[in-house]
C-alpha cells in the first residue's frame, strides 16, 4: 500500500498537532506486513482488510471519534472498543458512564416488574453497545484501559511507529469459526481478517477435496449434491450447497397413518400424512372404539378399565366394568372455576362446570377511582382516563381506566440526538438516548478512499488522502511530461514547468507555464445543493506568451557590417547608421551614394518591405572595354554583364586608296590579321607610285597625319611613322586603328582641356565605394576630466530656430511661475502674521481674565 498523500489535501488535524508527538502518517504497511507475506495481495485479502484499513484511515485523518460524546479520540485518551459486531471505539470514561446508567435502568425495571430483589436485579442487569446494541452483562463493564488485542494494560501513546491504543505486538486473538488459528496482524482495531492458513477442505457435499485458505474453506464443487435425503429413499438433486438439503420433492400416492385414505403427496410429507377422521379401531375390550385421530402407533388399552373416579375426583371405584358408568358421589364439586378465585358450588356432576362465576364481590376499577359489588366474572371500569405516568416518564397513559400496570409507552421518543441531525427512533424511554446510529461516509473525489465517521462530526472532517492519480486530463502543453498528482477536490495545482513554447524568431519562452487549465473539480461538501447549478465549470484559458525578451545583435536597415546594435528580439524598430549605403547598383559596376536606407528584400517582413526604398539609378554611360577590343564606346547606359556586339560600320580603304570598304566593327575585329589584309584589298592594280622599299616597310612612311588631344581641342601634324611609333609605345597595333581615329588622343591635354573633364571625374568619384576608416584607439580616453570638459564646451552644436523659440518660451514661463510664487508667499505670509497677532491678543485677554490683577 502506498502512502495516501496528495498535494491538494492536508491533515485535518494539522492545526492541533503542535501539542502531540510527531507520528508516522501511514502505519498500514507495518501492520499488514506479516499477513500479506503469508497470503499475498488478492481481491479476497483486500476485502478482509478493508474494514481495518477504514479504521486506520479514520485514525490517520483525525476522524476517529467517540459516539457518546462526539469528541475526537486522541492517542493519549484511554479507550474501549466493542468486540462483538461493530468494533467501534469509545472513550473509556464515556462507555463506563453509559454502561452504569444502562445497567441501573435495566435493574430498576426488572425489580419493579419481576418478583426479585434489587440486588438480584442488579446482578442480572444488562447493558448494550451504543452502536450495535449487543448486550453485555454488568460484570463486563470496562474498568481498565487495554490495547485492542487485550494483552497490554495502559499501552504507550508516545511511540510514533506504533498505532495509538495498540501494543505493537502480534494480535494473536482466536479467529472466527473456531478454526484453532490466531490472528497474524499487529495489534489493530476492527475485526480480525479471515484465517490465511492453507488447509485441506471438502466441498459442501463432501465429494471434492481441495487445498484452500482456512477462512474460505467452505466452497461448492458445482456438481450435483447426491446426498441421501431425510426420506432415506431419494437423493438430493440440487447443486452442491451449504446447509441441510431441502425436503424430498418427489411426488407419489401414499396412505395416511391409519390407512383409510390415499392421496398424491410429496415424499417428505408421507410420514406426517394424517387424515382428519378418527381412528375408530376396536380397543382390546371389544366394546369401545379408539377416539384418537389418525395415527400409526397402537391405540392402547380401553380408558374405561381399571381404577375410575367420580366426575369431581373425590371417590375412587375399582373393579367396575367398562360398560358401567361411574356413579356420582353427591359431594360438592369444588373444581376451580375459570375466574381462578372461586370453586364450583354445585354437587358432583357430569360435564363441565359453569362457565361464568356468579359470586358477587367488591371490585375496584382499573385506575382505582371506583369501587362496586359486581359478579366475579364481570370487570369494573369507569369512564375516566388513566393519566398516570408511564415508565418513560414523559407521557401519560391515555387508555380508559387501565389496570395497575399501564402498558409500555408505544410512542416514538422523537428527541433530537446529539448529532443535531436526526431524532431518536426508539420507543419512548427513560434516561439518555442512544447515540445516533447513522454513520456518514466521507470519501475522496474518485470514491476509492473513504472512511466512516459518526453522524454529527462530519462537518469538522476533511476528505481522506487518496493515493489514486487525478483523472482530469491536463490541457497545457506539458500534459504528458508533467508528474501526475493525487486525487483531490477543487482546482488542479498549476503547472510549474517552464513554458518553452517556441517564438517565430526561434527563441523559447522561459516563463512558468501559463497555458489553459482544465475545469476544477467541485469543492468538498457534505450538504447537497437544493438547486442544481446550471452554470457548469469551464476551463480557464491560458494567457499568450509575452513578446520575446531575448537580446540579439541587429544590423541597420542597410545591412552594413560593424554597426550592429544590441536590441530586444521582439522590438522591431529599425534604425539607420547614417553612413552611405554603398550597396552595388543594378548595373553591378557602381555603388549607391544615398544615406543608409532599407533595402528591398523578399525575406524581410511586409512592414519592413513597405518602408524600403530602392537604391539610386545609374545614369553614367557604359565604360567597359569591349571584347574583342574596339575603339567604339558602348551605346547603352551603365549595365551589368557584357556589352552587346559592336554594330558600328567601319570604313577601311584598300592599300592603293582606290576603294573604301565598309565592315561591321565586330566582324572586322574578329578576323585574323591575314584575313583583315585580304578583306581590305580591292583586288585591283595599285595606282600609287611609291618606292619599293617604302611599300614593303610601312614604318618608313613619311606622310603627314593630323594628331589631336583626347578632347580634340589641340591638333598637330606628325609624320605617319611617328604616329605608328607612338601607338606601338602605347601598346596598340597601328593597323587596328581606324582611319577616323588615327592620331586621336596622342597629344596630352593642357589646363583648358582638364576643366572639361572634372565634371565626369566628380560623378565617377561619387560612385566609387568609400573605404572604411579604421579608427585608432583613443589614447586620451583616460585623460584629465578638465581637458575633456574643455573639449566638450568647444564643440559647436547647431540649434534650429524652432528649438530656440521653445527654449525662450520655457524661460518666460519659468520666470512667470517664480513671480507668482513670490506674490503668493508674500500674501499668505502677511495673512499669517495678522492671524498670529490676533491669536496672541486673545490668549493675553484670556490670561488676564483668569488671573486678574489685585
Amino acid at each position: 500500500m502506498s502512502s495516501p498523500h496528495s498535494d491538494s489535501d492536508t491533515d485535518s488535524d494539522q492545526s492541533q498537532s503542535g501539542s502531540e508527538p510527531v507520528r508516522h502518517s501511514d502505519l498500514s504497511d507495518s501492520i499488514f506486513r506479516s499477513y500479506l507475506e503469508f497470503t499475498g495481495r488478492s481481491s479476497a485479502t483486500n476485502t478482509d482488510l478493508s474494514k481495518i484499513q477504514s479504521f486506520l484511515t479514520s485514525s490517520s485523518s483525525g476522524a476517529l471519534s467517540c459516539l457518546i460524546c462526539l469528541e475526537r479520540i486522541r492517542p493519549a485518551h484511554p479507550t474501549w472498543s466493542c468486540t462483538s459486531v461493530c468494533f467501534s471505539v469509545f472513550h473509556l470514561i464515556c462507555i463506563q458512564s453509559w454502561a452504569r446508567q444502562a445497567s441501573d435502568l435495566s435493574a430498576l425495571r426488572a425489580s419493579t416488574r419481576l418478583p426479585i430483589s434489587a440486588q438480584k436485579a442488579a446482578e442480572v442487569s444488562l447493558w448494550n453497545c451504543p452502536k450495535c446494541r449487543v448486550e453485555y452483562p454488568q460484570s463486563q463493564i470496562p474498568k481498565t484501559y487495554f490495547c485492542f488485542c487485550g494483552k497490554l494494560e495502559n499501552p504507550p501513546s508516545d511511540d510514533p511507529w506504533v498505532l495509538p491504543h495498540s501494543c505493537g505486538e502480534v494480535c494473536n486473538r482466536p479467529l472466527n469459526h473456531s478454526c484453532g488459528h490466531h490472528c497474524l496482524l499487529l495489534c489493530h482495531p476492527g475485526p480480525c481478517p479471515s484465517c490465511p492458513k492453507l488447509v485441506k477442505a471438502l466441498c459442501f457435499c463432501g465429494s471434492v477435496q481441495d487445498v484452500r485458505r482456512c477462512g474460505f474453506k467452505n466452497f461448492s464443487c458445482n456438481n450435483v449434491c447426491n446426498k441421501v435425503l431425510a426420506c432415506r429413499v431419494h437423493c438430493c438433486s440440487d447443486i452442491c450447497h451449504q446447509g441441510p438439503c431441502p425436503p424430498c420433492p418427489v411426488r407419489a400416492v401414499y396412505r395416511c397413518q391409519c390407512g383409510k385414505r390415499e392421496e398424491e403427496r410429496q415424499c417428505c410429507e408421507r410420514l406426517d400424512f394424517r387424515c382428519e377422521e378418527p381412528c375408530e379401531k376396536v380397543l382390546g375390550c371389544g366394546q369401545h372404539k379408539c377416539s384418537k385421530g389418525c395415527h400409526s402407533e397402537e391405540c392402547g388399552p380401553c380408558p374405561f378399565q381399571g381404577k375410575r373416579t367420580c366426575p369431581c375426583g373425590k371417590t375412587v371405584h375399582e373393579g367396575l366394568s367398562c360398560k358401567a358408568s361411574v356413579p356420582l358421589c353427591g359431594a360438592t364439586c369444588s373444581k376451580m372455576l375459570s375466574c381462578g378465585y372461586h370453586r364450583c358450588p354445585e354437587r358432583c356432576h357430569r360435564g363441565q362446570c359453569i362457565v361464568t362465576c356468579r359470586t358477587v364481590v367488591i371490585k375496584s376499577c382499573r385506575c382505582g377511582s371506583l369501587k362496586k359489588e359486581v359478579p366475579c366474572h364481570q370487570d369494573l371500569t369507569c369512564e375516566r382516563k388513566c393519566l398516570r405516568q408511564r415508565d418513560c416518564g414523559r407521557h401519560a397513559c391515555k387508555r380508559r381506566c387501565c389496570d395497575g400496570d399501564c402498558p409500555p409507552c408505544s410512542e416514538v421518543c422523537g428527541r433530537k440526538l446529539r448529532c443535531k441531525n436526526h431524532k431518536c427512533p426508539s420507543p419512548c424511554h427513560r434516561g439518555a438516548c442512544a447515540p445516533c446510529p447513522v454513520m456518514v461516509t466521507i470519501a475522496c473525489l474518485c470514491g476509492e478512499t473513504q472512511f466512516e465517521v459518526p453522524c454529527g462530526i462530519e462537518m469538522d472532517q476533511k476528505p481522506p488522502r487518496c493515493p489514486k492519480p487525478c483523472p482530469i486530463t491536463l490541457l497545457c502543453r506539458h500534459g504528458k511530461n508533467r508528474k501526475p498528482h493525487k486525487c483531490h477536490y477543487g482546482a488542479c495545482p498549476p503547472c510549474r514547468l517552464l513554458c518553452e513554447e517556441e517564438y517565430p524568431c526561434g527563441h523559447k519562452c522561459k516563463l512558468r507555464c501559463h497555458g489553459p487549465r482544465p475545469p476544477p473539480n467541485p469543492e468538498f461538501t457534505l450538504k447537497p445543493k437544493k438547486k442544481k447549478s446550471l452554470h457548469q465549470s469551464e476551463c480557464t484559458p491560458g494567457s499568450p506568451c509575452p513578446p520575446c525578451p531575448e537580446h540579439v545583435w541587429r544590423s541597420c536597415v542597410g545591412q552594413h557590417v560593424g554597426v550592429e546594435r544590441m536590441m530586444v528580439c521582439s522590438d522591431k524598430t529599425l534604425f539607420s547608421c547614417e553612413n552611405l549605403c554603398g550597396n552595388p547598383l543594378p548595373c553591378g559596376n557602381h555603388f549607391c551614394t544615398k544615406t543608409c536606407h532599407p533595402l528591398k528584400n523578399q525575406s524581410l517582413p511586409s512592414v519592413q518591405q513597405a518602408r524600403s526604398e530602392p537604391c539610386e539609378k545609374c545614369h553614367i554611360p557604359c565604360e567597359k572595354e569591349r571584347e574583342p577590343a574596339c575603339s567604339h564606346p558602348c551605346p547603352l547606359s551603365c549595365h551589368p554583364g557584357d556589352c552587346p556586339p559592336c554594330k558600328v560600320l567601319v570604313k577601311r580603304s584598300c592599300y592603293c586608296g582606290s576603294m573604301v570598304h565598309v565592315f561591321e566593327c565586330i566582324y572586322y575585329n574578329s578576323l585574323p590579321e591575314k584575313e583583315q589584309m585580304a578583306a581590305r584589298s580591292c583586288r585591283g592594280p595599285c595606282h600609287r607610285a611609291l618606292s619599293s622599299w617604302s611599300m614593303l616597310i610601312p614604318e618608313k612612311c613619311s606622310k603627314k597625319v593630323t594628331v589631336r588631344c583626347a578632347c580634340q581641342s589641340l591638333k598637330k601634324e606628325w609624320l605617319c611613322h611617328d604616329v605608328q611609333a607612338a601607338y606601338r609605345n602605347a601598346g596598340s597595333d597601328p593597323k587596328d586603328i581606324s582611319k577616323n581615329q588615327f592620331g586621336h588622343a596622342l597629344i596630352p591635354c593642357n589646363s583648358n582641356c582638364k576643366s572639361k573633364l572634372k565634371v565626369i571625374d566628380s560623378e565617377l568619384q561619387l560612385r566609387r565605394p568609400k573605404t572604411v576608416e579604421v579608427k585608432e584607439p583613443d589614447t586620451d580616453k583616460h585623460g584629465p576630466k578638465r581637458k575633456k570638459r574643455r573639449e566638450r564646451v568647444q564643440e559647436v552644436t547647431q540649434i534650429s530656430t524652432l528649438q530656440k523659440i521653445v527654449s525662450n518660451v520655457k524661460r518666460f514661463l519659468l520666470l512667470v511661475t517664480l513671480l507668482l510664487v513670490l506674490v503668493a508667499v508674500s500674501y499668505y505670509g502677511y495673512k499669517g502674521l495678522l492671524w498670529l497677532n490676533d491669536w496672541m491678543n486673545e490668549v493675553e485677554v484670556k490670561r488676564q481674565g483668569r488671573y486678574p490683577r489685585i
Side-chain angles (χ1 to χ4, degrees):
M1 295 185 180
S2 60
S3 178
H5 290 293
S6 175
D7 295 340
S8 60
D9 300 331
T10 54
D11 191 4
S12 62
D13 202 37
Q14 186 177 1
S15 60
Q16 301 177 1
S17 61
S19 59
E20 296 181 1
V22 177
R23 191 171 298 278
H24 194 265
S25 59
D26 187 11
L27 300 172
S28 56
D29 284 343
S30 60
I31 293 175
F32 298 147
R33 183 182 297 114
S34 59
Y35 185 82
L36 294 177
E37 287 176 356
F38 195 89
T39 61
R41 297 180 184 269
S42 62
S43 59
T45 303
N46 295 335
T47 304
D48 277 354
L49 301 179
S50 60
K51 192 169 184 65
I52 304 175
Q53 183 63 48
S54 177
F55 274 98
L56 296 178
T57 305
S58 301
S59 178
S60 63
S61 62
L64 192 63
S65 304
C66 176
L67 279 173
I68 300 174
C69 65
L70 297 183
E71 296 292 337
R72 182 193 166 195
I73 298 177
R74 299 185 180 277
H77 292 172
T79 59
W80 176 84
S81 58
C82 177
T83 57
S84 299
V85 177
C86 64
F87 296 92
S88 298
V89 183
F90 307 90
H91 286 122
L92 181 62
I93 298 176
C94 296
I95 196 64
Q96 287 175 344
S97 176
W98 172 274
R100 290 192 187 97
Q101 291 180 10
S103 62
D104 292 346
L105 184 59
S106 175
L108 179 61
R109 290 178 179 176
S111 61
T112 54
R113 297 180 181 180
L114 300 176
I116 57 176
S117 62
Q119 183 178 1
K120 183 65 176 177
E123 293 177 357
V124 298
S125 62
L126 302 175
W127 60 278
N128 47 22
C129 173
K131 183 177 181 182
C132 62
R133 316 304 291 177
V134 173
E135 293 182 342
Y136 291 93
Q138 188 184 23
S139 59
Q140 292 189 12
I141 295 178
K143 299 178 181 178
T144 311
Y145 171 38
F146 284 97
C147 63
F148 292 117
C149 64
K151 294 194 298 288
L152 181 62
E153 182 178 349
N154 297 322
S157 61
D158 55 351
D159 192 347
W161 296 98
V162 176
L163 185 70
H165 319 293
S166 168
C167 61
E169 302 295 334
V170 178
C171 177
N172 209 28
R173 283 184 287 186
L175 297 176
N176 296 334
H177 311 298
S178 300
C179 64
H181 303 126
H182 297 82
C183 180
L184 299 177
L185 299 181
L186 298 184
C187 183
H188 61 89
C192 295
S194 56
C195 183
K197 299 287 185 180
L198 294 174
V199 295
K200 292 183 179 180
L202 295 174
C203 63
F204 295 121
C205 65
S207 60
V208 176
Q209 186 177 9
D210 192 11
V211 177
R212 288 180 170 264
R213 301 286 181 192
C214 183
F216 304 96
K217 60 184 177 182
N218 298 326
F219 70 99
S220 173
C221 64
N222 296 324
N223 298 325
V224 180
C225 180
N226 282 331
K227 284 185 180 179
V228 180
L229 299 176
C231 64
R232 303 294 179 184
V233 177
H234 305 100
C235 296
C236 180
S237 59
D238 292 347
I239 300 298
C240 180
H241 58 87
Q242 187 176 9
C245 294
C248 182
V250 178
R251 300 186 68 86
V253 178
Y254 298 104
R255 288 180 178 273
C256 66
Q257 292 186 3
C258 64
K260 291 182 179 181
R261 296 180 61 182
E262 289 186 355
E263 288 184 5
E264 183 181 356
R265 288 177 174 266
Q266 291 184 353
C267 181
C268 60
E269 297 176 353
R270 64 185 177 84
L271 298 177
D272 298 331
F273 178 30
R274 295 181 182 181
C275 63
E276 296 179 356
E277 300 178 3
C279 179
E280 293 185 350
K281 291 181 180 179
V282 179
L283 299 177
C285 63
Q287 301 295 328
H288 301 93
K289 293 183 179 181
C290 180
S291 59
K292 297 180 181 179
C294 179
H295 59 90
S296 59
E297 64 273 4
E298 295 182 358
C299 296
C302 179
F304 297 105
Q305 291 180 350
K307 292 183 179 181
R308 300 169 66 188
T309 60
C310 64
C312 66
K314 294 179 180 179
T315 304
V316 179
H317 300 277
E318 295 184 2
L320 291 177
S321 174
C322 64
K323 298 181 180 179
S325 59
V326 178
L328 302 175
C329 65
T332 303
C333 179
S334 298
K335 287 183 180 179
M336 185 64 67
L337 297 177
S338 59
C339 67
Y341 296 102
H342 305 97
R343 297 183 180 273
C344 180
E346 297 180 359
R347 291 186 179 277
C348 182
H349 58 86
R350 292 184 175 88
Q352 294 182 353
C353 298
I354 56 176
V355 179
T356 57
C357 179
R358 294 184 176 85
T359 306
V360 178
V361 294
I362 299 175
K363 283 189 174 183
S364 300
C365 66
R366 294 174 181 176
C367 62
S369 60
L370 178 63
K371 289 184 178 182
K372 190 178 180 180
E373 290 185 355
V374 292
C376 182
H377 70 278
Q378 183 179 351
D379 292 332
L380 181 62
T381 58
C382 63
E383 299 298 326
R384 300 177 184 176
K385 289 185 178 180
C386 180
L387 299 179
R388 288 183 293 178
Q389 288 287 335
R390 294 187 179 181
D391 55 354
C392 66
R394 297 176 59 203
H395 302 99
C397 181
K398 296 181 181 180
R399 294 180 60 184
R400 182 172 293 176
C401 191
C402 63
D403 55 7
D405 290 334
C406 297
C409 183
S410 60
E411 297 185 14
V412 178
C413 177
R415 286 185 289 184
K416 209 163 190 179
L417 300 176
R418 293 195 62 178
C419 67
K420 299 181 181 180
N421 297 327
H422 304 93
K423 294 182 179 180
C424 181
S426 304
C428 196
H429 57 85
R430 289 181 179 270
C433 297
C436 181
V438 179
M439 297 294 290
V440 180
T441 301
I442 298 179
C444 64
L445 183 67
C446 64
E448 294 290 336
T449 306
Q450 59 185 9
F451 60 87
E452 293 182 345
V453 296
C455 178
I457 66 170
E458 68 275 6
M459 301 307 297
D460 299 332
Q461 304 301 323
K462 292 185 178 181
R465 295 174 176 175
C466 179
K468 303 294 181 180
C470 179
I472 295 181
T473 303
L474 301 177
L475 301 181
C476 69
R477 62 194 308 268
H478 307 107
K480 297 181 179 179
N481 300 329
R482 185 177 168 187
K483 183 179 179 182
H485 57 279
K486 305 300 175 60
C487 172
H488 62 89
Y489 285 94
C492 294
C495 180
R496 300 184 180 278
L497 300 178
L498 295 181
C499 177
E500 293 186 348
E501 185 172 355
E502 189 170 354
Y503 289 106
C505 61
H507 298 116
K508 292 184 178 181
C509 180
K510 297 182 180 180
L511 298 179
R512 186 168 289 178
C513 180
H514 46 83
R517 296 184 184 180
N521 294 323
E523 295 294 338
F524 174 70
T525 179
L526 293 173
K527 292 185 177 180
K529 295 182 179 179
K530 296 182 180 179
K531 295 183 180 179
K532 293 184 178 179
S533 176
L534 299 178
H535 176 70
Q536 298 181 355
S537 58
E538 299 178 352
C539 61
T540 305
S543 58
C545 294
C548 181
E550 297 290 337
H551 286 76
V552 295
W553 288 99
R554 186 166 296 164
S555 59
C556 62
V557 293
Q559 304 294 325
H560 294 120
V561 180
V563 291
E564 291 85 358
R565 293 183 185 177
M566 180 68 75
M567 300 180 67
V568 179
C569 182
S570 57
D571 185 7
K572 303 302 180 181
T573 305
L574 303 178
F575 71 94
S576 174
C577 64
E578 302 299 333
N579 294 329
L580 292 179
C581 176
N583 287 305
L585 295 179
C587 66
N589 304 318
H590 305 98
F591 301 92
C592 180
T593 59
K594 288 185 178 181
T595 307
C596 180
H597 61 89
L599 302 177
K600 284 188 177 181
N601 191 350
Q602 297 295 333
S603 62
L604 295 177
S606 58
V607 178
Q608 192 169 349
Q609 287 185 12
R611 297 179 181 177
S612 63
E613 60 177 289
C615 293
E616 61 182 351
K617 294 182 179 180
C618 183
H619 298 286
I620 301 176
C622 180
E623 299 177 351
K624 291 184 180 179
E625 295 182 0
R626 290 188 169 188
E627 290 293 337
C630 77
S631 59
H632 304 111
C634 180
L636 303 177
S637 61
C638 190
H639 62 85
D642 295 336
C643 295
C646 184
K647 299 293 184 180
V648 178
L649 296 178
V650 180
K651 293 180 180 180
R652 293 287 185 268
S653 61
C654 64
Y655 296 108
C656 64
S658 60
M659 183 182 291
V660 177
H661 298 276
V662 179
F663 304 99
E664 284 187 355
C665 182
I666 184 63
Y667 169 76
Y668 182 78
N669 290 331
S670 60
L671 293 176
E673 184 177 0
K674 293 182 178 181
E675 292 182 4
Q676 286 182 1
M677 295 176 65
R680 292 179 63 178
S681 176
C682 62
R683 307 291 181 182
C686 181
H687 299 287
R688 291 185 301 175
L690 295 175
S691 58
S692 58
W693 60 270
S694 60
M695 184 177 62
L696 296 175
I697 304 173
E699 290 81 4
K700 300 298 183 176
C701 181
S702 60
K703 188 177 180 178
K704 293 184 178 180
V705 179
T706 302
V707 180
R708 297 179 182 272
C709 65
C711 64
Q712 297 184 1
S713 298
L714 301 178
K715 64 180 179 177
K716 290 182 180 181
E717 288 185 354
W718 285 8
L719 295 177
C720 181
H721 61 84
D722 294 332
V723 175
Q724 292 181 16
Y727 276 116
R728 290 189 188 95
N729 294 333
S732 59
D733 190 3
K735 296 178 181 181
D736 297 334
I737 307 301
S738 63
K739 186 177 182 180
N740 295 335
Q741 298 293 330
F742 194 80
H744 179 70
L746 292 179
I747 302 175
C749 294
N750 56 12
S751 59
N752 295 329
C753 298
K754 292 182 178 179
S755 60
K756 297 180 180 181
L757 297 176
K758 284 184 178 180
V759 177
I760 298 175
D761 293 337
S762 61
E763 291 180 357
L764 292 175
Q765 187 66 22
L766 290 175
R767 282 158 176 74
R768 293 176 182 173
K770 287 189 177 182
T771 57
V772 180
E773 295 180 2
V774 180
K775 295 184 179 181
E776 297 180 358
D778 190 5
T779 56
D780 298 332
K781 185 175 180 180
H782 302 286
K785 294 183 178 180
R786 183 175 300 174
K787 181 179 179 180
K788 293 182 179 180
R789 193 180 301 114
R790 189 182 305 113
E791 290 175 356
R792 285 197 298 266
V793 171
Q794 291 176 358
E795 292 180 358
V796 179
T797 58
Q798 297 180 357
I799 302 175
S800 63
T801 307
L802 179 61
Q803 290 177 345
K804 292 180 180 180
I805 295 173
V806 171
S807 61
N808 293 332
V809 171
K810 289 182 179 179
R811 292 175 184 175
F812 176 76
L813 293 177
L814 180 61
L815 181 60
V816 172
T817 304
L818 291 175
L819 290 176
L820 291 176
V821 171
L822 290 175
V823 172
V825 170
S826 302
Y827 176 78
Y828 287 106
Y830 177 73
K831 289 287 186 180
L833 291 174
L834 293 178
W835 176 83
L836 181 61
N837 187 23
D838 294 339
W839 176 76
M840 293 179 67
N841 292 335
E842 290 177 2
V843 172
E844 184 66 18
V845 171
K846 289 180 181 180
R847 187 179 64 82
Q848 291 178 1
R850 186 179 299 176
Y851 304 105
R853 295 183 180 180
I854 300 175

